[in-house]
Amino acid sequence: MIEGVLVEGLVYGILALGVFISFRVLDFPDLTVEGSFPFGAAVGGALIVARVPPPLALGAAFLAGALAGAATSAVYHGLRVPPLLAGIVTMTGLYSVDLRVLGGKANLPLIAHNPVMRAAESWLGGGLDSSIQAFLAFLVVTGVLVLLLDLFFHTEAGIALGALGDNETSVVSAGVDPVRLRSVGICLSNGLAGLSGAFAASYQGFADANFGAGIVAAGLASVMIGEFLFRTNRIGGQLARVLLGSVLFRGIMYAGRSWGYLAGITPNDLRLLTAVLIVGSIAASRYKGGTRPGRSRA
Amino acid sequence: MIRLESVEVVFGRGGPDERRVLDRLTLAVPRGQYVSVIGSNGAGKTTLLNAVAGSVPLAAGRILIDGADQSRLPEWKRARYVGRVRQDPLAGTAGDMTVLDNLALASRKGPRRLRLAVPSRLRRELQDRLAELGMGLEDRLRENVNRLSGGQRQALTLLMASISRPSVLLLDEHTAALDPRNAELVSGLTRRFVAEYGLTALAVTHDMRRAIDEGDRLVMMHEGTVVADVSGDAKKSLTVERLVDLFRRTRGGDYAEDRDLLT
Ligand SMILES: Nc1ncnc2c1ncn2[C@@H]1O[C@H](COP(=O)(O)OP(=O)(O)OP(=O)(O)O)[C@@H](O)[C@H]1O
Ligand SMILES: [Mg+2]
């Protein structure tokens, strides 16, 4: 079952990478992921059920998430409302869109045809246990994602994105349109959430319009647990830390589900546990470092 | 070269607190000139720099930089032609980013590309520039800027504002927050960059001594407009006493505290 936790941590780790980019790099508290995650799941799931090749379906899920981000960005920049409100608007509207994408139902099973998981569980041939193969498959996928993001954050655009969340003036002074740059960042963040949603649908065996509930807090908890693990001002380390944090978070949740009864914890208490974890990691990193958890960029 | 033609900036327009902060201000600064700007608190000095940079909209008039009317361009587009250092050493840099990344960001103006931000050739070049600051920052490329002292950070900000050789360099009391030694250091660097890069500069200061000693020209502002403009030999023979006297005459009054007002 440990492999299950690892796979889950990596799958939801992609979402946590998105949360890291909005909350930490952009300093933009974006709740859109609560909508872009199930939107990606719905689009990816529906396309897979329609027998679209999985890579295309996953790409479409990323784009769907990015589109949700674009909507939030348009509301935020166009109406000059607070980020939280812009995100809530998108997330609320998307729920109805999800239901339509899922064909009028809240739930779409992928059990009969689940090519992503089938590939992940058997890509190394017959000798190896399927759950270990799945773990390795998602390790490769998320590892490549982290490498790509690391590369991106070393480009001119990536550096500017990091600076934007830190001190917008320095970006404007460099002759960069902060609105456009922030939009790119929000789209990237939600694109990752959408991709994560599609993988999660495959992993769970169904896409669900309610996938998003509590996902921001889960992502944040993962990011913060990661920051608690070690300090670095290198972006590559910070990204890897997010994945580790996500795996650890899923592990803690698993422990809560499996052995929580020993401490009187029921599955109903898991959200409370998440909240406590977030507060705990903030408090712990304050206590440990004195400064706040390492910000965005190298 | 920059030219301000009858520039007006009005805050709270139409409301009960309407304030005309720049009032038909006209000023032409030829390429390569270093202009010191002085004036009492609230005279509109910072607003003048804001108007040139595009951080406040004009109510009337226009601003030409290198002959082109820039007054309707948003701040980020105008930034191609403008370098700026504010009083607060924290204002111009991203503190949670490294020295190298900050400098790389500032070394090029305009939209960002999907290219490696600091190829090794650029890194060597930026390292050389940092070495010119004489603060050892060339050995601290990978450290976050918020680890630097105020003086180091302001020197870095100055380099960032100058490195792309903007058409105009705007300095707003940029040494005021520093201790005397660092203020002297940053002033020296400013003189050097202006000379080496052939920059045109507008430098606001409350230090009359410095305004007299430094720069090719001294402009005194009062109530949103230029009330005195001294350059050449007349500036060379200026003293603090004469400056205070000049200020008194423009105000048409005889205030004992004039000297305090200016500084
Ligand atoms: N955004 C704003 N809204 C309303 N009033 C403003 C604004 N910015 C500046 N002012 C007013 O405009 C006047 C000129 O301000 P400005 O900052 O240009 O003065 P200054 O010459 O730089 O003064 P100091 O020497 O104190 O820095 C002041 O009375 C100020 O209160
Ligand atoms: Mg001022």
Side-chain angles (χ1 to χ4, degrees), chain A:
Chain A
M1 201 48 226
I2 182 73
E3 305 91 64
V5 169
L6 292 173
V7 171
E8 197 177 304
L10 293 173
V11 165
Y12 287 84
I14 301 172
L15 164 94
L17 288 170
V19 169
F20 170 75
I21 289 173
S22 56
F23 277 74
R24 284 290 188 256
V25 178
L26 288 173
D27 201 13
F28 186 88
D30 186 14
L31 300 184
T32 313
V33 285
E34 201 114 339
S36 50
F37 182 82
F39 190 35
V43 168
L47 289 177
I48 282 173
V49 167
R51 297 297 194 270
V52 169
L56 282 184
L58 293 168
F62 181 91
L63 287 180
L67 204 65
T72 296
S73 172
V75 172
Y76 172 73
H77 289 115
L79 302 178
R80 291 168 199 280
V81 296
L84 290 176
L85 181 56
I88 286 172
V89 167
T90 307
M91 160 194 139
T92 304
L94 271 182
Y95 188 81
S96 302
V97 180
D98 292 342
L99 292 179
R100 278 187 184 267
V101 173
L102 292 174
K105 306 168 310 226
N107 190 292
L108 180 70
L110 295 175
I111 302 292
H113 177 65
N114 194 345
V116 174
M117 279 322 279
R118 215 187 49 223
E121 285 171 346
S122 59
W123 67 302
L124 291 174
L128 217 55
D129 184 66
S130 67
S131 56
I132 290 177
Q133 294 203 27
F135 164 61
L136 292 174
F138 281 105
L139 194 62
V140 169
V141 167
T142 51
V144 168
L145 267 180
V146 163
L147 284 179
L148 285 176
L149 286 172
D150 182 42
L151 201 60
F152 169 72
F153 280 112
H154 281 94
T155 65
E156 290 179 2
I159 297 251
L161 208 60
L164 181 65
D166 194 340
N167 181 0
E168 180 168 337
T169 305
S170 68
V171 171
V172 171
S173 298
V176 180
D177 181 358
V179 171
R180 213 171 110 189
L181 187 64
R182 191 180 290 105
S183 302
V184 169
I186 297 172
C187 288
L188 174 62
S189 156
N190 284 286
L192 290 170
L195 179 63
S196 178
F199 276 127
S202 294
Y203 171 72
Q204 306 278 11
F206 62 95
D208 195 304
N210 295 308
F211 259 2
I215 212 76
V216 174
L220 261 183
S222 305
V223 168
M224 287 173 175
I225 291 172
E227 283 165 353
F228 178 66
L229 291 178
F230 58 94
R231 293 168 76 100
T232 173
N233 76 342
R234 294 306 191 86
I235 187 71
Q238 294 180 347
L239 292 165
R241 201 166 65 173
V242 172
L243 279 188
L244 278 175
S246 176
V247 169
L248 218 65
F249 172 74
R250 294 293 153 182
I252 294 169
M253 287 295 129
Y254 176 74
R257 276 196 304 270
S258 311
W259 305 299
Y261 65 89
L262 295 173
I265 297 174
T266 75
N268 295 340
D269 297 324
L270 290 181
R271 289 283 188 92
L272 185 60
L273 187 58
T274 304
V276 169
L277 274 177
I278 291 178
V279 173
S281 346
I282 297 173
S285 55
R286 286 270 158 79
Y287 180 74
K288 200 170 79 170
T291 53
R292 70 207 188 97
R295 261 276 297 271
S296 60
R297 287 216 13 95

Side-chain angles (χ1 to χ4, degrees), chain B residues 143-217:
Chain B
E143 268 182 61
N144 280 5
V145 166
N146 55 21
R147 298 262 295 267
L148 305 183
S149 73
Q152 292 169 335
R153 193 156 174 176
Q154 198 69 328
L156 174 65
T157 310
L158 179 68
L159 177 58
M160 286 168 63
S162 314
I163 196 166
S164 61
R165 301 177 188 234
S167 304
V168 57
L169 180 63
L170 305 174
L171 308 168
D172 196 351
E173 303 184 46
H174 73 304
T175 61
L178 308 178
D179 62 78
R181 202 182 62 86
N182 274 310
E184 199 40 62
L185 251 163
V186 171
S187 297
L189 287 170
T190 308
R191 283 193 297 272
R192 232 179 80 199
F193 288 154
V194 167
E196 265 173 33
Y197 299 160
L199 301 177
T200 309
L202 278 180
V204 170
T205 178
H206 276 290
D207 186 339
M208 283 193 280
R209 185 72 270 143
R210 188 157 270 158
I212 290 167
D213 292 344
E214 285 178 6
D216 314 302
R217 180 175 173 190

Side-chain angles (χ1 to χ4, degrees), chain B residues 11 19 21 39-48 173 206:
Chain B
F11 289 116
R19 261 191 76 92
V21 176
S40 54
N41 291 117
K45 304 179 297 295
T46 296
T47 307
L48 166 69
E173 303 184 46
H206 276 290

Side-chain angles (χ1 to χ4, degrees), chain B residues 6-171:
Chain B
S6 300
V7 166
E8 298 195 10
V9 169
V10 181
F11 289 116
R13 216 169 172 188
D17 300 321
E18 180 174 303
R19 261 191 76 92
R20 188 166 302 264
V21 176
L22 291 187
D23 193 5
R24 277 162 296 165
L25 186 146
T26 294
L27 184 70
V29 183
R31 178 183 288 277
Q33 194 172 59
Y34 184 117
V35 183
S36 294
V37 181
I38 61 169
S40 54
N41 291 117
K45 304 179 297 295
T46 296
T47 307
L48 166 69
L49 302 193
N50 281 336
V52 173
S55 348
V56 296
L58 302 191
R62 52 182 206 151
I63 293 173
L64 294 94
I65 301 179
D66 292 339
D69 185 358
Q70 306 283 358
S71 21
R72 305 288 168 257
L73 286 188
E75 193 173 1
W76 65 269
K77 275 192 181 161
R78 249 192 266 187
R80 276 173 188 268
Y81 313 98
V82 178
R84 190 166 194 189
V85 185
R86 285 159 233 256
Q87 180 173 348
D88 179 3
L90 308 183
T93 46
D96 288 326
M97 278 176 43
T98 63
V99 170
L100 186 58
D101 286 351
N102 267 281
L103 196 52
L105 176 70
S107 66
R108 238 192 95 246
K109 301 258 192 179
R112 301 293 115 166
R113 303 166 297 189
L114 272 180
R115 283 200 203 161
L116 213 56
V118 204
S120 49
R121 199 171 41 85
L122 180 65
R123 186 177 52 87
R124 280 193 297 275
E125 192 191 319
L126 297 180
Q127 208 163 5
D128 290 344
R129 290 291 161 76
L130 281 167
E132 290 170 16
L133 297 179
M135 293 178 156
L137 295 186
E138 67 277 13
D139 299 322
R140 302 175 66 182
L141 296 178
R142 308 259 174 224
E143 268 182 61
N144 280 5
V145 166
N146 55 21
R147 298 262 295 267
L148 305 183
S149 73
Q152 292 169 335
R153 193 156 174 176
Q154 198 69 328
L156 174 65
T157 310
L158 179 68
L159 177 58
M160 286 168 63
S162 314
I163 196 166
S164 61
R165 301 177 188 234
S167 304
V168 57
L169 180 63
L170 305 174
L171 308 168

